[in-house]
Amino acid sequence: MKERLLGKTPEELKAIALEVGLPGFAGKQMAQWLYQKRVRSIDEMTNLSKQGREVLAQRYEVGMIQPVDVQTSKDGTRKYLFPVRCALKAGTAEEVFYVEAVMIPDHERKTLCVSSQAGCKMGCKFCMTGRQGFHGNLDTADILSQFFAIEEAADLTNAVFMGMGEPLDNWDKVKRVIDILTAPWGVAWSPKRVTLSTIGVLPKLKQYLQESKCHLAVSLHNPFPEEREEFMPVQKAWSITEVVRLIKQFDFTGQRRVSFEYTVFDTWNDTPRHADALLKLLRGMECRVNLIRFHSIPDFPYKSASAQTMEAFREQLEKGGVTATIRASRGEDIFAACGLLAGKHNVT
Ligand code: SF4
């Protein structure tokens, strides 16, 4: 199989250029073709010599994958389905799995919700992705393809690593994607346009906070450790108390923002006692809480809290000094909303 160029840095591309007999500066040219002009084949890199392109194409390919299906919601949200080749462990046979990327339009913004893994090993009980288990990590080219191969590629304004998978469980690849998105030689986005969402993989979270300037979103869902553990097995390994303690060591008073995602379930986490504990946990932080309505999934007995209860919860947080919003649900009719991504291959 050919090696993919998408996802490589200019230095790595320079080494490849020299290896195939192209001049060293062809590495920079290749980076421009890949990340600014977003070509899909080596043959389109027309400022490289024809012979150089031919030698390059013997061993390499651009490696951008194309979506095999797209569904459009009545609210304009679009869900793309991508086939990815994954192996559970290095050295084992690869299989094709399907992952989803969701484009969410909102006035002048177009945000892409990106997947970082096929399935997920974190096993959150309320999440359709977690239900399917883990199939493998996405490669850098697979993640970048979600940005470059969709119809709205040229108009995207923001990205959230909030799709299928836990991005910090595939941190090496996700970091590389973020570097390419924000590098001047890459897509040249400001880090303010990117948010990574995590359930709190503590060691990698520390790296993320140290190595990136992008925003952070944390799936919190319950301030009581013993209750959180019922729905989120990760709590056993890395407690939310430790996660919040770590985040408090970093500066979120400037341009960088931290938000906490809180899906509100009827009776499980929607009481004044929970709002009170949440306020105590977040005390002293410059942050926002996003309250999310739960979308029912099969064989899971909990329902969403009512609109009235969510509003009361929001008011209690606001009164306690924490900015809280009830997030509008998007793309529910095409199963693109939070927790519903399952990578179902329904192409006929
Ligand atoms: Fe994985 Fe996120 Fe789903 Fe939890 S909520 S199982 S971390 S994809």
Coordinates of all heavy atoms in Angstrom, one line a residue, residues 217-299:
A217 N -13.4 21.8 26.1 CA -14.7 21.4 26.6 C -14.6 20.1 27.3 O -13.9 19.2 26.9 CB -15.7 21.3 25.4
V218 N -15.2 20.0 28.5 CA -15.1 18.8 29.3 C -16.5 18.3 29.5 O -17.4 19.0 30.0 CB -14.4 19.1 30.7 CG1 -14.4 17.9 31.6 CG2 -13.0 19.6 30.5
S219 N -16.7 17.0 29.2 CA -17.9 16.3 29.5 C -18.0 16.0 31.0 O -17.4 15.1 31.4 CB -18.0 15.0 28.7 OG -18.0 15.3 27.3
L220 N -18.8 16.8 31.7 CA -18.8 16.6 33.2 C -20.0 15.8 33.6 O -19.9 14.7 34.2 CB -18.9 18.0 33.8 CG -18.5 18.2 35.2 CD1 -18.0 19.5 35.5 CD2 -19.6 17.8 36.2
H221 N -21.2 16.2 33.3 CA -22.5 15.5 33.5 C -22.9 15.2 34.9 O -24.1 15.0 35.1 CB -22.5 14.2 32.7 CG -22.1 14.4 31.2 ND1 -22.7 15.3 30.4 CD2 -21.3 13.7 30.4 CE1 -22.2 15.2 29.2 NE2 -21.3 14.3 29.2
N222 N -22.0 15.1 35.8 CA -22.5 14.9 37.2 C -21.3 15.3 38.2 O -20.2 14.8 38.0 CB -22.8 13.4 37.5 CG -23.7 13.3 38.7 OD1 -23.4 13.9 39.8 ND2 -24.8 12.5 38.6
P223 N -21.6 16.2 39.1 CA -20.5 16.7 40.0 C -20.1 15.7 41.1 O -19.1 15.8 41.8 CB -21.1 18.0 40.6 CG -22.5 17.7 40.6 CD -22.9 16.9 39.4
F224 N -21.0 14.7 41.3 CA -20.7 13.7 42.4 C -19.9 12.5 41.8 O -20.5 11.8 41.0 CB -22.0 13.2 43.1 CG -22.7 14.3 43.7 CD1 -23.9 14.8 43.2 CD2 -22.2 14.9 44.9 CE1 -24.6 15.8 43.9 CE2 -22.9 15.9 45.5 CZ -24.1 16.4 45.0
P225 N -18.7 12.3 42.3 CA -17.9 11.2 41.7 C -18.6 9.8 41.6 O -18.6 9.2 40.6 CB -16.6 11.2 42.6 CG -16.5 12.6 43.1 CD -17.9 13.0 43.2
E226 N -19.2 9.5 42.7 CA -19.8 8.1 42.8 C -21.0 8.0 41.8 O -21.3 7.0 41.3 CB -20.2 7.7 44.2 CG -21.2 8.5 45.0 CD -20.7 10.0 45.4 OE1 -19.5 10.3 45.2 OE2 -21.6 10.7 45.8
E227 N -21.7 9.1 41.6 CA -22.8 9.1 40.6 C -22.3 9.1 39.2 O -22.8 8.4 38.3 CB -23.8 10.3 40.9 CG -24.6 10.2 42.2 CD -25.5 11.3 42.4 OE1 -25.9 12.0 41.4 OE2 -25.9 11.6 43.5
R228 N -21.3 9.9 39.0 CA -20.7 10.1 37.6 C -20.2 8.7 37.1 O -20.4 8.3 36.0 CB -19.6 11.1 37.6 CG -19.1 11.5 36.3 CD -18.1 12.6 36.4 NE -17.7 13.1 35.1 CZ -16.5 12.8 34.5 NH1 -15.7 12.1 35.1 NH2 -16.2 13.3 33.3
E229 N -19.7 8.0 38.1 CA -19.1 6.7 37.7 C -20.2 5.7 37.2 O -19.9 4.8 36.4 CB -18.4 6.1 39.0 CG -17.6 4.9 38.7 CD -16.9 4.4 40.0 OE1 -16.4 5.2 40.8 OE2 -17.0 3.2 40.3
E230 N -21.4 5.9 37.6 CA -22.5 5.0 37.1 C -22.6 5.0 35.6 O -22.9 4.0 35.0 CB -23.8 5.4 37.7 CG -24.0 5.2 39.2 CD -25.3 5.9 39.7 OE1 -26.2 6.1 38.9 OE2 -25.3 6.2 40.9
F231 N -22.5 6.2 35.0 CA -22.6 6.4 33.6 C -21.3 6.5 32.8 O -21.3 6.3 31.6 CB -23.4 7.7 33.3 CG -24.9 7.6 33.6 CD1 -25.5 6.5 34.2 CD2 -25.7 8.7 33.2 CE1 -26.8 6.5 34.5 CE2 -27.1 8.6 33.4 CZ -27.6 7.5 34.1
M232 N -20.3 6.9 33.6 CA -19.0 7.1 32.9 C -17.8 6.4 33.6 O -17.3 6.9 34.5 CB -18.7 8.7 32.9 CG -19.8 9.5 32.2 SD -19.5 11.2 32.4 CE -18.2 11.5 31.2
P233 N -17.5 5.2 33.1 CA -16.5 4.4 33.7 C -15.1 5.1 33.8 O -14.4 4.8 34.7 CB -16.3 3.2 32.7 CG -17.6 3.1 31.9 CD -18.1 4.5 31.9
V234 N -14.9 6.1 33.0 CA -13.6 6.8 33.1 C -13.4 7.4 34.5 O -12.2 7.6 34.9 CB -13.5 8.0 32.0 CG1 -14.5 9.1 32.3 CG2 -12.1 8.5 31.8
Q235 N -14.5 7.7 35.2 CA -14.4 8.3 36.5 C -13.5 7.5 37.4 O -12.9 8.1 38.3 CB -15.8 8.5 37.0 CG -16.0 9.0 38.4 CD -15.5 10.4 38.7 OE1 -15.5 11.2 37.8 NE2 -14.9 10.7 39.8
K236 N -13.5 6.2 37.2 CA -12.7 5.3 38.1 C -11.3 5.6 37.9 O -10.5 5.6 38.9 CB -13.0 3.8 37.7 CG -14.3 3.3 38.3 CD -14.3 1.8 38.1 CE -15.8 1.4 37.8 NZ -16.0 0.7 36.6
A237 N -10.9 5.8 36.7 CA -9.4 6.0 36.4 C -9.0 7.5 36.7 O -8.0 7.7 37.3 CB -9.1 5.7 35.0
W238 N -9.8 8.4 36.2 CA -9.5 9.8 36.4 C -10.7 10.6 36.9 O -11.7 10.8 36.1 CB -9.0 10.4 35.1 CG -7.8 9.8 34.6 CD1 -6.5 9.7 35.2 CD2 -7.6 9.0 33.4 NE1 -5.7 9.0 34.5 CE2 -6.3 8.5 33.4 CE3 -8.5 8.6 32.4 CZ2 -5.8 7.7 32.4 CZ3 -8.0 7.8 31.4 CH2 -6.7 7.4 31.4
S239 N -10.7 10.9 38.2 CA -11.9 11.6 38.8 C -12.1 13.0 38.2 O -11.1 13.7 38.0 CB -11.7 11.6 40.3 OG -12.7 12.4 40.8
I240 N -13.3 13.4 38.1 CA -13.6 14.7 37.7 C -13.0 15.8 38.6 O -12.7 16.9 38.2 CB -15.2 14.9 37.5 CG1 -15.5 16.2 36.8 CG2 -15.9 14.8 38.8 CD1 -15.0 16.3 35.4
T241 N -12.9 15.4 39.9 CA -12.3 16.3 40.9 C -10.9 16.7 40.5 O -10.4 17.8 40.5 CB -12.3 15.7 42.3 OG1 -13.5 15.0 42.4 CG2 -12.2 16.7 43.4
E242 N -10.1 15.6 40.1 CA -8.7 15.8 39.6 C -8.7 16.6 38.3 O -7.8 17.4 38.1 CB -8.1 14.4 39.4 CG -7.9 13.6 40.7 CD -7.1 14.3 41.7 OE1 -6.0 14.9 41.4 OE2 -7.5 14.4 42.9
V243 N -9.6 16.3 37.4 CA -9.6 16.9 36.1 C -9.8 18.4 36.3 O -9.1 19.3 35.8 CB -10.8 16.3 35.2 CG1 -11.0 17.2 34.0 CG2 -10.4 14.9 34.9
V244 N -10.8 18.8 37.2 CA -11.1 20.2 37.4 C -9.9 20.9 38.2 O -9.5 22.0 37.8 CB -12.4 20.4 38.2 CG1 -12.6 21.9 38.7 CG2 -13.6 20.0 37.4
R245 N -9.3 20.1 39.1 CA -8.1 20.7 39.8 C -7.0 21.0 38.8 O -6.3 22.0 38.9 CB -7.6 19.6 40.8 CG -6.6 20.2 41.8 CD -6.3 19.2 42.9 NE -7.4 18.9 43.8 CZ -7.6 17.8 44.4 NH1 -6.8 16.8 44.3 NH2 -8.7 17.6 45.2
L246 N -6.8 20.1 37.8 CA -5.7 20.4 36.8 C -6.1 21.6 36.0 O -5.2 22.5 35.8 CB -5.6 19.1 35.9 CG -4.7 19.3 34.7 CD1 -3.2 19.4 35.1 CD2 -4.9 18.2 33.7
I247 N -7.3 21.7 35.5 CA -7.7 22.8 34.7 C -7.5 24.1 35.4 O -7.1 25.1 34.8 CB -9.2 22.6 34.2 CG1 -9.3 21.3 33.3 CG2 -9.7 23.8 33.4 CD1 -10.7 20.9 33.0
K248 N -7.8 24.1 36.7 CA -7.7 25.4 37.5 C -6.2 25.9 37.5 O -6.0 27.0 37.8 CB -8.2 25.1 38.9 CG -9.7 25.2 39.0 CD -10.2 25.0 40.4 CE -11.7 25.1 40.5 NZ -12.3 24.8 41.8
Q249 N -5.3 25.0 37.2 CA -3.9 25.5 37.1 C -3.5 26.3 35.9 O -2.5 26.8 35.7 CB -2.9 24.3 37.2 CG -3.0 23.6 38.6 CD -2.3 22.3 38.5 OE1 -1.5 22.0 37.6 NE2 -2.6 21.4 39.5
F250 N -4.5 26.3 34.9 CA -4.2 27.0 33.6 C -5.0 28.2 33.5 O -6.1 28.4 34.2 CB -4.5 26.0 32.4 CG -3.4 24.9 32.4 CD1 -3.5 23.8 33.2 CD2 -2.3 25.0 31.5 CE1 -2.6 22.8 33.1 CE2 -1.4 24.0 31.5 CZ -1.5 22.9 32.3
D251 N -4.6 29.1 32.7 CA -5.2 30.5 32.6 C -6.3 30.5 31.5 O -6.1 30.3 30.3 CB -4.1 31.5 32.2 CG -4.7 32.9 32.1 OD1 -5.8 33.1 32.6 OD2 -4.0 33.8 31.6
F252 N -7.5 30.7 32.0 CA -8.7 30.8 31.0 C -9.3 32.2 31.1 O -10.5 32.3 30.9 CB -9.7 29.7 31.3 CG -9.2 28.3 30.8 CD1 -8.6 27.5 31.7 CD2 -9.3 28.0 29.5 CE1 -8.1 26.2 31.3 CE2 -8.8 26.7 29.0 CZ -8.2 25.9 29.9
T253 N -8.5 33.1 31.6 CA -9.1 34.5 31.7 C -8.9 35.3 30.5 O -9.5 36.4 30.3 CB -8.5 35.2 32.9 OG1 -7.0 35.2 32.7 CG2 -8.8 34.6 34.3
G254 N -8.1 34.8 29.5 CA -7.8 35.6 28.3 C -8.7 35.0 27.2 O -9.9 34.8 27.3
Q255 N -8.0 34.8 26.0 CA -8.7 34.4 24.8 C -9.1 32.9 24.9 O -10.1 32.5 24.2 CB -7.9 34.6 23.6 CG -7.5 36.1 23.5 CD -7.5 36.5 22.0 OE1 -6.9 35.8 21.2 NE2 -8.1 37.6 21.7
R256 N -8.4 32.1 25.6 CA -8.7 30.7 25.7 C -9.9 30.4 26.6 O -9.9 31.0 27.7 CB -7.4 30.0 26.2 CG -7.5 28.5 26.0 CD -6.2 27.8 26.5 NE -6.1 26.5 25.9 CZ -5.1 25.7 26.2 NH1 -4.3 26.0 27.2 NH2 -5.0 24.5 25.6
R257 N -10.8 29.5 26.2 CA -12.0 29.3 27.0 C -12.1 27.8 27.4 O -11.7 26.9 26.7 CB -13.2 29.7 26.2 CG -13.4 31.2 25.9 CD -14.7 31.5 25.4 NE -15.1 30.7 24.3 CZ -15.0 31.2 23.0 NH1 -14.6 32.4 22.8 NH2 -15.3 30.4 22.0
V258 N -12.7 27.6 28.6 CA -13.1 26.3 29.0 C -14.6 26.2 29.2 O -15.1 27.2 29.8 CB -12.3 25.8 30.2 CG1 -12.4 26.7 31.4 CG2 -12.6 24.4 30.6
S259 N -15.2 25.2 28.7 CA -16.6 25.0 29.0 C -16.9 23.6 29.5 O -16.0 22.7 29.3 CB -17.5 25.3 27.8 OG -17.1 24.4 26.7
F260 N -17.9 23.4 30.2 CA -18.3 22.1 30.7 C -19.6 21.7 30.1 O -20.6 22.4 30.2 CB -18.3 22.1 32.3 CG -17.0 22.3 32.9 CD1 -16.5 23.6 33.1 CD2 -16.1 21.3 33.1 CE1 -15.3 23.8 33.7 CE2 -14.9 21.5 33.6 CZ -14.4 22.7 33.9
E261 N -19.6 20.5 29.6 CA -20.8 19.9 28.9 C -21.6 19.2 30.0 O -21.0 18.4 30.7 CB -20.5 19.0 27.8 CG -19.5 19.5 26.8 CD -20.0 20.7 26.0 OE1 -21.1 20.6 25.4 OE2 -19.4 21.8 26.1
Y262 N -22.9 19.5 30.1 CA -23.7 18.8 31.1 C -25.0 18.4 30.5 O -25.9 19.2 30.3 CB -23.9 19.8 32.3 CG -24.4 19.3 33.6 CD1 -23.5 19.0 34.6 CD2 -25.7 19.0 33.8 CE1 -23.9 18.5 35.8 CE2 -26.2 18.5 35.0 CZ -25.3 18.2 36.0 OH -25.7 17.7 37.2
T263 N -25.1 17.1 30.1 CA -26.3 16.6 29.6 C -27.3 16.3 30.8 O -26.9 15.7 31.8 CB -26.1 15.2 28.9 OG1 -25.1 15.5 27.8 CG2 -27.3 14.7 28.2
V264 N -28.5 16.9 30.7 CA -29.4 16.9 31.8 C -30.4 15.7 31.7 O -31.2 15.7 30.9 CB -30.1 18.2 32.0 CG1 -30.6 18.3 33.4 CG2 -29.1 19.4 31.7
F265 N -30.2 14.8 32.6 CA -31.1 13.6 32.7 C -32.2 13.8 33.7 O -31.8 14.2 34.8 CB -30.3 12.3 33.0 CG -29.2 12.0 32.0 CD1 -28.0 12.5 32.1 CD2 -29.5 11.1 31.0 CE1 -27.0 12.2 31.2 CE2 -28.5 10.8 30.0 CZ -27.2 11.3 30.2
D266 N -33.4 13.3 33.4 CA -34.5 13.4 34.4 C -34.1 12.6 35.7 O -33.8 11.4 35.6 CB -35.7 12.9 33.7 CG -36.9 12.9 34.7 OD1 -37.0 13.9 35.5 OD2 -37.8 12.0 34.6
T267 N -34.1 13.2 36.8 CA -33.8 12.7 38.1 C -32.4 12.3 38.4 O -32.0 12.2 39.6 CB -34.7 11.4 38.5 OG1 -34.3 10.3 37.7 CG2 -36.2 11.7 38.3
W268 N -31.6 12.0 37.4 CA -30.2 11.6 37.7 C -29.3 12.7 38.1 O -28.4 12.5 39.0 CB -29.6 10.8 36.5 CG -28.3 10.2 36.8 CD1 -28.0 9.2 37.6 CD2 -27.0 10.5 36.2 NE1 -26.7 8.9 37.6 CE2 -26.0 9.7 36.8 CE3 -26.6 11.5 35.2 CZ2 -24.7 9.8 36.4 CZ3 -25.3 11.6 34.9 CH2 -24.3 10.7 35.5
N269 N -29.4 13.8 37.4 CA -28.4 14.9 37.7 C -29.0 16.3 37.6 O -28.3 17.3 37.3 CB -27.2 14.8 36.7 CG -27.6 15.0 35.3 OD1 -28.8 15.1 35.0 ND2 -26.6 15.1 34.4
D270 N -30.4 16.4 37.7 CA -31.0 17.6 37.4 C -31.6 18.4 38.7 O -32.4 19.2 38.6 CB -32.2 17.4 36.4 CG -33.3 16.5 37.0 OD1 -33.0 15.9 38.0 OD2 -34.3 16.4 36.4
T271 N -31.1 18.0 39.9 CA -31.7 18.5 41.1 C -30.9 19.8 41.6 O -29.8 20.0 41.2 CB -31.7 17.5 42.2 OG1 -30.4 17.3 42.6 CG2 -32.3 16.2 41.8
P272 N -31.5 20.6 42.5 CA -30.8 21.7 43.1 C -29.5 21.3 43.8 O -28.5 22.0 43.8 CB -31.8 22.3 44.1 CG -33.2 21.9 43.5 CD -33.0 20.6 42.9
R273 N -29.6 20.0 44.3 CA -28.4 19.5 45.0 C -27.2 19.4 44.0 O -26.1 19.7 44.3 CB -28.8 18.1 45.6 CG -27.7 17.4 46.3 CD -28.2 16.0 46.8 NE -28.5 15.1 45.8 CZ -27.7 14.1 45.4 NH1 -26.5 14.0 45.9 NH2 -28.0 13.3 44.4
H274 N -27.6 18.9 42.8 CA -26.5 18.8 41.8 C -26.0 20.2 41.3 O -24.8 20.3 41.1 CB -27.1 18.0 40.5 CG -27.3 16.6 40.8 ND1 -28.5 16.1 41.2 CD2 -26.4 15.5 40.7 CE1 -28.3 14.7 41.4 NE2 -27.1 14.4 41.1
A275 N -26.9 21.1 41.1 CA -26.5 22.4 40.7 C -25.6 23.1 41.8 O -24.5 23.7 41.4 CB -27.7 23.3 40.5
D276 N -25.9 22.8 43.0 CA -25.1 23.4 44.1 C -23.7 22.8 44.1 O -22.7 23.5 44.3 CB -25.9 23.0 45.4 CG -25.5 24.0 46.5 OD1 -25.3 25.2 46.3 OD2 -25.3 23.5 47.7
A277 N -23.7 21.4 44.0 CA -22.3 20.8 44.0 C -21.5 21.2 42.7 O -20.3 21.3 42.8 CB -22.6 19.3 44.0
L278 N -22.2 21.4 41.6 CA -21.5 21.9 40.4 C -20.9 23.3 40.6 O -19.7 23.5 40.3 CB -22.5 21.9 39.3 CG -22.0 22.1 37.9 CD1 -20.9 21.1 37.5 CD2 -23.1 22.0 36.8
L279 N -21.7 24.1 41.3 CA -21.1 25.5 41.6 C -19.9 25.4 42.5 O -18.9 26.1 42.3 CB -22.2 26.3 42.3 CG -23.3 26.9 41.4 CD1 -24.5 27.4 42.2 CD2 -22.7 27.9 40.4
K280 N -20.0 24.5 43.5 CA -18.8 24.3 44.4 C -17.6 23.8 43.6 O -16.5 24.3 43.8 CB -19.2 23.3 45.5 CG -20.0 23.9 46.6 CD -19.9 23.1 47.9 CE -20.9 23.7 48.9 NZ -22.2 23.0 48.9
L281 N -17.8 22.8 42.8 CA -16.7 22.2 42.0 C -16.0 23.3 41.1 O -14.8 23.3 41.0 CB -17.3 21.1 41.1 CG -16.3 20.3 40.3 CD1 -15.3 19.5 41.2 CD2 -17.1 19.3 39.4
L282 N -16.8 24.1 40.5 CA -16.3 25.1 39.5 C -15.9 26.4 40.1 O -15.5 27.3 39.4 CB -17.3 25.3 38.4 CG -17.8 24.1 37.6 CD1 -18.7 24.4 36.5 CD2 -16.6 23.3 37.0
R283 N -16.1 26.5 41.4 CA -15.8 27.8 42.1 C -14.4 28.4 41.7 O -13.4 27.6 41.7 CB -15.9 27.6 43.6 CG -15.8 29.0 44.4 CD -16.3 28.8 45.8 NE -17.8 28.6 45.9 CZ -18.4 27.9 46.9 NH1 -17.7 27.4 47.8 NH2 -19.7 27.8 46.8
G284 N -14.4 29.7 41.4 CA -13.1 30.3 41.1 C -12.6 30.2 39.7 O -11.5 30.6 39.4
M285 N -13.4 29.5 38.9 CA -13.0 29.3 37.5 C -13.8 30.3 36.6 O -14.9 30.6 36.8 CB -13.4 27.9 37.0 CG -12.5 26.9 37.5 SD -13.1 25.3 36.8 CE -11.9 25.1 35.5
E286 N -13.1 30.7 35.5 CA -13.7 31.5 34.5 C -14.2 30.5 33.4 O -13.3 29.9 32.7 CB -12.6 32.4 33.8 CG -13.1 33.5 32.9 CD -13.8 34.6 33.6 OE1 -13.4 35.0 34.7 OE2 -14.9 35.0 33.1
C287 N -15.5 30.1 33.5 CA -15.9 29.1 32.6 C -17.4 29.2 32.2 O -18.1 30.1 32.7 CB -15.7 27.7 33.3 SG -16.7 27.4 34.7
R288 N -17.8 28.3 31.4 CA -19.3 28.3 31.0 C -19.7 26.9 31.1 O -19.0 25.9 30.9 CB -19.3 28.8 29.5 CG -20.6 28.5 28.8 CD -20.4 28.9 27.3 NE -20.3 30.3 27.2 CZ -21.3 31.2 27.1 NH1 -22.5 30.7 27.1 NH2 -21.1 32.5 27.0
V289 N -21.0 26.7 31.5 CA -21.6 25.4 31.5 C -22.7 25.3 30.4 O -23.5 26.2 30.2 CB -22.3 25.1 32.8 CG1 -23.1 23.8 32.8 CG2 -21.2 25.0 34.0
N290 N -22.5 24.3 29.5 CA -23.5 24.1 28.4 C -24.5 23.0 28.9 O -24.0 21.8 29.0 CB -22.8 23.7 27.1 CG -22.1 24.8 26.5 OD1 -22.6 26.0 26.5 ND2 -20.9 24.6 26.0
L291 N -25.7 23.3 29.0 CA -26.7 22.3 29.4 C -27.3 21.7 28.1 O -27.7 22.4 27.2 CB -27.8 22.9 30.3 CG -27.3 23.6 31.6 CD1 -28.4 24.3 32.3 CD2 -26.7 22.5 32.5
I292 N -27.3 20.4 28.1 CA -27.7 19.7 26.8 C -28.8 18.8 27.1 O -28.8 18.0 28.1 CB -26.5 18.9 26.3 CG1 -25.3 19.8 26.1 CG2 -26.8 18.1 25.0 CD1 -24.0 19.0 25.9
R293 N -29.8 18.8 26.2 CA -31.0 17.9 26.3 C -30.5 16.5 25.9 O -29.8 16.4 25.0 CB -32.1 18.4 25.4 CG -33.4 17.8 25.6 CD -34.5 18.6 25.0 NE -34.3 18.8 23.6 CZ -34.7 17.8 22.7 NH1 -35.2 16.7 23.1 NH2 -34.5 18.0 21.4
F294 N -31.0 15.5 26.7 CA -30.6 14.2 26.3 C -31.5 13.6 25.2 O -32.7 13.7 25.3 CB -30.6 13.3 27.6 CG -30.4 11.8 27.3 CD1 -29.1 11.4 26.7 CD2 -31.3 10.8 27.6 CE1 -28.9 10.1 26.5 CE2 -31.1 9.5 27.3 CZ -29.8 9.2 26.7
H295 N -30.9 13.0 24.2 CA -31.6 12.3 23.2 C -31.7 10.8 23.5 O -30.7 10.2 23.5 CB -31.0 12.5 21.8 CG -30.7 14.0 21.5 ND1 -29.5 14.5 21.8 CD2 -31.5 14.9 21.1 CE1 -29.5 15.8 21.5 NE2 -30.8 16.1 21.1
S296 N -32.9 10.3 23.7 CA -33.1 9.0 24.1 C -32.4 8.0 23.2 O -32.4 8.2 22.0 CB -34.6 8.6 24.2 OG -35.1 9.4 25.3
I297 N -31.8 6.9 23.7 CA -31.3 5.9 22.9 C -31.8 4.5 23.4 O -32.3 4.4 24.5 CB -29.7 5.9 23.0 CG1 -29.2 5.7 24.4 CG2 -29.1 7.1 22.4 CD1 -27.7 5.4 24.5
P298 N -31.8 3.5 22.5 CA -32.5 2.2 22.9 C -31.8 1.6 24.1 O -30.6 1.8 24.3 CB -32.2 1.4 21.6 CG -31.8 2.3 20.5 CD -31.3 3.5 21.2
D299 N -32.6 0.9 24.9 CA -32.1 0.1 26.1 C -31.4 1.0 27.1 O -30.4 0.5 27.7 CB -31.2 -1.0 25.6 CG -31.9 -1.9 24.6 OD1 -33.1 -2.1 24.7 OD2 -31.2 -2.3 23.6

